[in-house]
Amino acid sequence: MADPGSEDVLARVAAAIAARAGADPTESYVASLFAKGDDAILKKIGEEATETVLAAKDGDPRRIASEVADLWFHCLVLLARHGLGPADVLAELARREGTSGHAEKAARGR
């Protein structure tokens, strides 16, 4: 069960990422990712996605949650890098809500 204020945790983490983006890269992990650019951020997302898959294959719920948290964190870094945040993703999910996944994918032309 999630903690009572956890609904806002994505926004709080996103705000912390935005605040650290311009910090000294030697003192902030987020700033170091920003300084290295998209390739470093994308590499971390790939690594975390792979670790998420491996955790899921092992079936350990705590490890799955931990790896997804790492993946989401790095996705939030990527969003911030491009001037986006959780609200943008939530708005896109809301737009798709109630639409068949097949229909939504066909509408995108992919």
Side-chain angles (χ1 to χ4, degrees):
M1 172 82 65
D3 293 337
S6 64
E7 300 85 23
D8 298 322
V9 73
L10 287 176
R12 291 193 306 269
V13 171
I17 289 168
R20 295 176 184 151
D24 180 346
T26 63
E27 295 182 15
S28 166
Y29 175 68
V30 169
S32 72
L33 286 174
F34 270 74
K36 292 175 186 172
D38 280 348
D39 285 348
I41 297 167
L42 296 173
K43 181 179 177 187
K44 284 305 296 181
I45 289 172
E47 290 171 7
E48 300 303 344
T50 299
E51 291 172 8
T52 299
V53 169
L54 294 174
K57 289 193 65 73
D58 289 344
D60 179 350
R62 285 186 181 171
R63 187 164 160 242
I64 293 167
S66 177
E67 295 300 345
V68 169
D70 290 345
L71 177 59
W72 285 12
F73 175 83
H74 289 91
C75 287
L76 289 171
V77 170
L78 178 67
L79 288 170
R81 173 101 169 139
H82 292 277
L84 300 166
D88 297 293
V89 177
L90 294 172
E92 179 60 16
L93 288 171
R95 184 189 69 75
R96 296 179 186 186
E97 189 174 19
T99 303
S100 156
H102 293 298
E104 194 282 328
K105 188 173 181 180
R108 286 186 280 154
R110 295 184 213 162

